[in-house]
Amino acid sequence: MPEGHTIHRLATRHRELFAGHPVAVSSPQGRFASGAALLDGRLLRDTEAYGKHLLHHYEGDRTLHVHLGLYGKFTEGEPPLPDPVGQVRMRMLGRTHWLDLRGPTACEVLEPPAVEALRGRLGADPLRDDADPARAYPRIKSSTKPLFALLLDQSIVAGCGLIYANEVLFRAGLSPLTPGTAVSRDLWTALWDDLRALMKEGVARGRIDTVHTQHTPEAMSRAPRVDRHGGEVYVYRRTAQPCLVCGTPIAIGPLAGRNLYWCPTCQC
């Protein structure tokens, strides 16, 4: 599932391509036909990302809400408009570009109260300038759940996914099983600041890189990581490979229904 940095990149890209002008909206697949009719021909005022949720704000207080889930994907191009390929849930056509959406978990038109309700059930998004990390801390401090699971809870931290959760805990030298009750306010602030910096770098680069300069392939004279997720990381999907810091084989185990990766030495 795309993590928050990807959704923020999409919001910026869609703003560049379509905001400030009327947009033609349709549903070649048909499943979003009624929603498309509500938006078709309207001016797209702005776009917004909140965690893993993408919002397109149209004139008339109508908002398109998209959650890509595991299989959702956008494709784009310049005219001429191609024939739809596959199950195109939504198609947008602006002055200079077209945009197709396939396979999302959610694709719906929301009224203002529903938009506010969506924001209300999401936690603080490290990539938003209006995010307040102090808002999340009481939830963390009062929970005995492992910190790894708390970071993945979108009602606590919006936009943090599996890769960032694994990596930020390694960088902090914390066992992923550390209960929330053991996290001090200063530690939470440090974790938040590091997570925010990593995710901002992800927005800028378009991929997730989490290793410090001294652990890059160039600095260590090692081969670059080969993985469909791209990026240089410490533990994610590096099962049994040597830790880049201490050489201990990276471990894997299930937690909160997800794969947890950690170094048994650096995160003991």
Side-chain angles (χ1 to χ4, degrees), residues 61-256:
D61 285 332
R62 289 178 177 173
T63 296
L64 170 70
H65 166 230
V66 173
H67 190 291
L68 293 178
L70 288 173
Y71 305 109
K73 183 178 181 180
F74 283 103
T75 55
E76 65 176 62
E78 299 178 3
L81 194 63
D83 292 333
V85 176
Q87 299 297 308
V88 179
R89 183 78 57 85
M90 181 190 70
R91 167 167 283 187
M92 296 174 56
L93 178 61
R95 297 184 308 157
T96 62
H97 286 76
W98 55 264
L99 183 76
D100 283 354
L101 172 63
R102 297 175 178 84
T105 295
C107 178
E108 58 186 348
V109 177
L110 301 180
E111 299 290 337
V115 174
E116 289 309 308
L118 172 64
R119 291 194 180 106
R121 68 173 183 262
L122 293 174
D125 180 345
L127 288 172
R128 291 177 63 98
D129 292 336
D130 60 358
D132 181 8
R135 173 182 157 204
Y137 183 67
R139 291 276 307 278
I140 291 171
K141 186 63 177 177
S142 64
S143 177
T144 58
K145 291 182 179 180
L147 189 51
F148 176 75
L150 296 172
L151 287 172
L152 291 176
D153 186 336
Q154 297 300 296
S155 70
I156 298 176
V157 182
C160 179
L162 190 58
I163 305 177
Y164 282 121
N166 277 289
E167 293 296 308
V168 77
L169 290 174
F170 175 87
R171 286 166 59 99
L174 285 172
S175 166
L177 299 180
T178 302
T181 52
V183 178
S184 68
R185 188 176 293 276
D186 287 346
L187 176 56
W188 170 243
T189 299
L191 278 171
W192 174 272
D193 289 345
D194 193 39
L195 179 60
R196 177 175 167 83
L198 288 175
M199 293 182 72
K200 278 187 169 290
E201 186 172 352
V203 172
R205 293 191 177 193
R207 73 177 203 175
I208 299 177
D209 287 290
T210 64
V211 301
H212 294 290
T213 303
Q214 63 267 34
H215 300 130
T216 62
E218 296 78 13
M220 299 184 72
S221 299
R222 61 177 176 83
R225 177 173 178 250
V226 178
D227 186 278
R228 64 186 176 88
H229 289 281
E232 293 295 332
V233 297
Y234 283 109
V235 294
Y236 180 72
R237 290 169 62 104
R238 295 193 66 246
T239 308
Q241 296 180 44
C243 173
L244 299 180
V245 176
C246 72
T248 301
I250 298 300
I252 183 175
L255 183 64

Side-chain angles (χ1 to χ4, degrees), residues 39-59:
L39 305 177
D40 186 37
R42 290 181 179 268
L43 178 80
L44 177 61
R45 294 190 290 103
D46 199 5
T47 64
E48 174 188 4
Y50 200 132
K52 299 180 182 181
H53 299 262
L54 176 65
L55 302 171
H56 286 190
H57 300 297
Y58 286 83
E59 63 178 347

